[in-house]
């Protein structure tokens, strides 16, 4: 369970003021007049009238384009123990892509789900609406036994799955995760049986435990769950800041995660370094659902803008999301992933280690300590700092566990056994 709420409103240092949403009579709106435009019913009709049908390839081609991999459950289920035993860095982060904006993220002794959607359709009606064309790589019952946190960015159906909320709501209270939701969504969650729910406004924070601080951050988007509830709840992204005590140095090992949610590009991302001065170790950024641009620009970034946000927020490693799962807009399904490589290079970002995509079920492991990666099937290992990577032969590591000495390292098989993509 989470600690008592600590809604400190971070309004800035000195004269600097962070962006806040407009709010009138319980209705929220975006404050950025130069980039935000409301799209109405006539715009929607115009788009749908001129929309180009997106082609879904045959199943055999889909298997090649978007393979659904079996998650490495051995690593997932033992991740925290590996960190504890110093077989992974104390600041290691493991992110497994479930699809669309859904990730299982593991860091500093907690298991986190982002916008978990496991339903076959993202729609209020089970037999109508966008249908999943790539299946989930694991079921809810196959997740780690303890899910500690669920981060919800907003209430659209491709981000908030009622079946997932009800799944956790049926658990005993001591087994339930804490749902972190935008302001206005707490009642909806409690109606699904969830007991531990934290709702925040932009820049408010909640101290989950002694080492994890959770901050709700702005995004340029909107909310709507039913016909007459537009913008009655807030929207945004989440930042997790972790400060883990280091028994050897007696200092704190800091790591950070930014989960963006849905957003159009706006000036708020240039504010992030004012609050998060060291940037982020890992960011989960949307790269899909952007066409046609005249309609989608205010609410969904394109790939070029995603790379710009990666740079604005000083993210060291970013994973592209919000693509490859549902057909929501008009761009070809492979285009976001293909453009990411091009756009990253244009903005001098490494598309291999700094901003990349995963296959469904694949994990990205951010660590500087790597023990026998030959066991890490379907895992993309990314060094936190390439200059500080430590490779440990498994047999040597077992001998060294007793004295916690990792200075004597057998690297004779590194080139063959360890493949850092």
């Amino acid at each position: 369970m989470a600690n008592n709420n600590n809604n400190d409103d971070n309004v800035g240092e000195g004269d600097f003021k962070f962006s806040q949403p407009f709010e009138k009579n319980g209705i929220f709106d975006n404050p950025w007049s130069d980039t935000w435009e409301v799209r109405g019913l006539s715009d929607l009709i115009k788009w749908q009238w001129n929309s180009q049908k997106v082609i879904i390839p045959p199943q055999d081609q889909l298997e090649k384009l978007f393979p659904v991999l079996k998650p490495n459950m051995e690593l997932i289920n033992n991740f925290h123990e590996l960190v504890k035993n110093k077989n992974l860095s104390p600041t290691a982060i493991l992110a497994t892509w479930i699809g669309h904006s859904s990730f299982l993220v593991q860091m500093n002794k907690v298991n986190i789900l982002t916008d978990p959607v496991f339903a076959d359709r993202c729609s209020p009606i089970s037999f109508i609406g966008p249908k999943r064309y790539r299946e989930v790589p694991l079921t809810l019952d196959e997740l780690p036994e303890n899910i500690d946190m669920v981060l919800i960015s907003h209430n659209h159906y491709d981000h908030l799955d009622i079946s997932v909320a009800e799944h956790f709501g049926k658990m005993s209270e001591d087994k339930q995760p804490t749902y972190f939701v935008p302001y206005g969504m707490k009642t909806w969650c409690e109606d699904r049986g969830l007991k531990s729910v934290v709702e925040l406004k932009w820049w408010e924070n909640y101290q989950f435990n002694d080492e994890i601080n959770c901050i709700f951050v702005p995004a340029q988007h909107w909310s709507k769950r039913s016909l007459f509830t537009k913008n009655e709840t807030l929207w945004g992204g989440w930042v997790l800041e972790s400060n883990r005590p280091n028994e050897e140095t007696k200092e704190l090992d800091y790591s950070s995660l930014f989960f963006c949610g849905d957003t159009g590009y706006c000036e708020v991302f240039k504010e992030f370094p004012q609050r998060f001065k060291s940037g982020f170790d890992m960011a989960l950024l949307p790269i899909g659902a952007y066409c046609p641009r005249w309609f989608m620009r205010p609410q969904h970034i394109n790939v070029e803008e995603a790379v710009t946000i990666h740079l604005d927020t000083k993210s060291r490693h970013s994973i592209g999301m919000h693509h490859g799962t549902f057909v929501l807009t008009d761009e070809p399904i492979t285009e976001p992933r293909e453009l990411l490589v091009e756009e990253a290079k244009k903005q001098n970002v490494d598309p291999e280690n700094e901003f990349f995509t995963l296959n469904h079920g694949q994990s990205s492991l951010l660590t500087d300590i790597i023990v026998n990666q030959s066991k890490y099937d379907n895992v993309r290992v990314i060094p936190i700092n390439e200059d500080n990577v430590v490779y440990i032969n498994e047999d040597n590591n077992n001998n060294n566990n007793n004295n916690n000495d990792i200075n004597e390292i057998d690297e004779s098989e590194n080139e063959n056994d360890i493949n850092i993509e």
Side-chain angles (χ1 to χ4, degrees):
M1 298 292 291
N3 296 329
N4 292 331
N5 204 342
N6 178 25
N7 286 344
D8 294 328
D9 192 359
N10 297 295
V11 294
E13 298 182 1
D15 295 330
F16 187 85
K17 301 296 181 182
F18 290 110
S19 295
Q20 296 291 343
F22 293 143
E23 182 180 359
K24 184 177 181 180
N25 299 325
I27 303 298
F28 295 98
D29 200 0
N30 294 291
W32 307 286
S33 58
D34 55 337
T35 53
W36 174 243
E37 294 179 280
V38 176
R39 295 291 183 247
L41 180 59
S42 61
D43 296 312
L44 179 62
I45 293 173
K46 176 184 175 182
W47 168 34
Q48 293 300 307
W49 183 262
N50 296 288
S51 180
Q52 299 179 0
K53 182 176 177 59
V54 176
I55 304 299
I56 301 296
Q59 187 68 23
D60 59 337
Q61 293 184 35
L62 276 176
E63 293 292 344
K64 296 177 181 178
L65 293 171
F66 291 99
V68 178
L69 307 180
K70 182 177 176 57
N72 190 317
M73 298 309 297
E74 181 179 358
L75 175 60
I76 289 171
N77 289 327
N78 293 287
F79 173 78
H80 300 299
E81 193 68 20
L82 289 169
V83 173
K84 179 181 177 181
N85 292 335
K86 302 180 182 178
N87 290 337
L88 293 173
S89 302
T91 56
I93 301 175
L94 182 66
T96 303
W97 191 41
I98 299 171
H100 200 53
S101 299
S102 304
F103 284 84
L104 168 64
V105 179
Q106 298 171 273
M107 59 187 292
N108 196 357
K109 296 175 281 189
V110 297
N111 298 323
I112 307 144
L113 287 176
T114 67
D115 283 357
V117 174
F118 284 73
D120 194 42
R121 292 184 186 270
C122 52
S123 167
I125 304 173
S126 61
F127 55 88
I128 298 176
K131 181 177 173 59
R132 182 185 296 273
Y133 60 85
R134 299 312 289 144
E135 64 271 21
V136 290
L138 76 172
T139 67
L140 283 168
D141 291 333
E142 291 173 322
L143 289 169
E145 183 176 355
N146 294 320
I147 298 297
D148 303 287
M149 307 171 70
V150 176
L151 307 180
I152 301 296
S153 63
H154 63 297
N155 67 1
H156 288 162
Y157 283 88
D158 60 320
H159 295 263
L160 180 63
D161 185 344
I162 187 172
S163 67
V164 176
E166 291 176 342
H167 170 85
F168 289 122
K170 292 175 182 176
M171 293 180 173
S172 59
E173 187 171 349
D174 62 318
K175 297 289 187 182
Q176 290 188 13
T178 297
Y179 258 65
F180 286 82
V181 299
Y183 185 83
M185 285 184 56
K186 186 173 184 178
T187 299
W188 185 94
C189 292
E190 291 176 339
D191 288 345
R192 273 74 201 171
L194 296 166
K195 304 299 184 183
S196 181
V197 184
V198 176
E199 64 174 13
L200 300 179
K201 292 183 177 179
W202 291 352
W203 303 113
E204 289 180 341
N205 75 286
Y206 185 94
Q207 193 71 36
F208 179 70
N209 57 30
D210 291 341
E211 299 174 15
I212 301 286
N213 186 34
C214 191
I215 305 99
F216 189 49
V217 293
Q220 182 173 281
H221 202 58
W222 55 289
S223 68
K224 189 176 184 179
R225 190 73 180 177
S226 60
L227 192 59
F228 302 108
T229 60
K230 186 173 182 179
N231 293 351
E232 290 184 359
T233 65
L234 202 48
W235 52 88
W238 294 94
V239 171
L240 295 184
E241 295 181 307
S242 168
N243 286 286
R244 184 184 185 117
N246 188 309
E247 296 178 359
E248 295 180 358
T249 66
K250 306 303 180 184
E251 297 180 351
L252 295 176
D253 290 322
Y254 178 82
S255 59
S256 56
L257 172 81
F258 171 38
F259 170 57
C260 185
D262 277 2
T263 189
Y265 186 78
C266 62
E267 62 186 25
V268 73
F269 297 104
K270 296 185 182 299
E271 298 177 14
F272 275 48
Q274 294 284 339
R275 171 62 178 83
F276 309 105
K277 293 180 171 56
S278 61
F280 304 115
D281 292 302
M282 181 179 287
L284 310 176
L285 302 179
I287 62 170
Y290 50 76
C291 282
R293 288 311 288 150
W294 70 265
F295 187 90
M296 288 294 168
R297 185 184 302 276
Q299 55 194 313
H300 287 164
I301 54 175
N302 61 15
V303 178
E304 178 184 0
E305 292 164 332
V307 178
T308 301
I309 290 176
H310 167 87
L311 295 170
D312 285 347
T313 58
K314 298 182 179 179
S315 298
R316 286 173 285 285
H317 309 279
S318 293
I319 304 174
M321 64 176 187
H322 205 259
H323 75 107
T325 310
F326 301 102
V327 174
L328 302 177
T329 49
D330 290 355
E331 74 273 5
I333 63 172
T334 60
E335 184 178 278
R337 189 178 58 187
E338 293 165 353
L339 286 181
L340 180 58
V341 176
E342 298 176 17
E343 293 296 341
K345 290 178 179 178
K346 285 180 183 179
Q347 299 190 52
N348 296 316
V349 172
D350 180 3
E352 293 295 322
N353 289 328
E354 294 180 353
F355 199 164
F356 50 90
T357 59
L358 298 174
N359 291 317
H360 295 78
Q362 188 179 19
S363 300
S364 174
L365 174 61
L366 194 61
T367 181
D368 277 344
I369 301 175
I370 305 169
V371 179
N372 194 14
Q373 194 206 337
S374 61
K375 291 186 176 181
Y376 292 173
D377 292 337
N378 299 335
V379 178
R380 181 170 186 159
V381 178
I382 306 293
I384 298 173
N385 185 331
E386 291 188 2
D387 295 333
N388 296 331
V389 179
V390 177
Y391 302 99
I392 305 176
N393 176 274
E394 189 176 39
D395 294 334
N396 189 319
N397 183 55
N398 289 336
N399 293 331
N400 285 333
N401 273 342
N402 292 329
N403 58 16
N404 296 325
D405 181 6
I406 62 171
N407 294 320
E408 296 180 7
I409 301 170
D410 180 359
E411 298 188 10
S412 60
E413 298 181 357
N414 282 347
E415 293 299 320
N416 295 324
D417 291 346
I418 300 179
N419 174 30
I420 297 181
E421 297 180 40

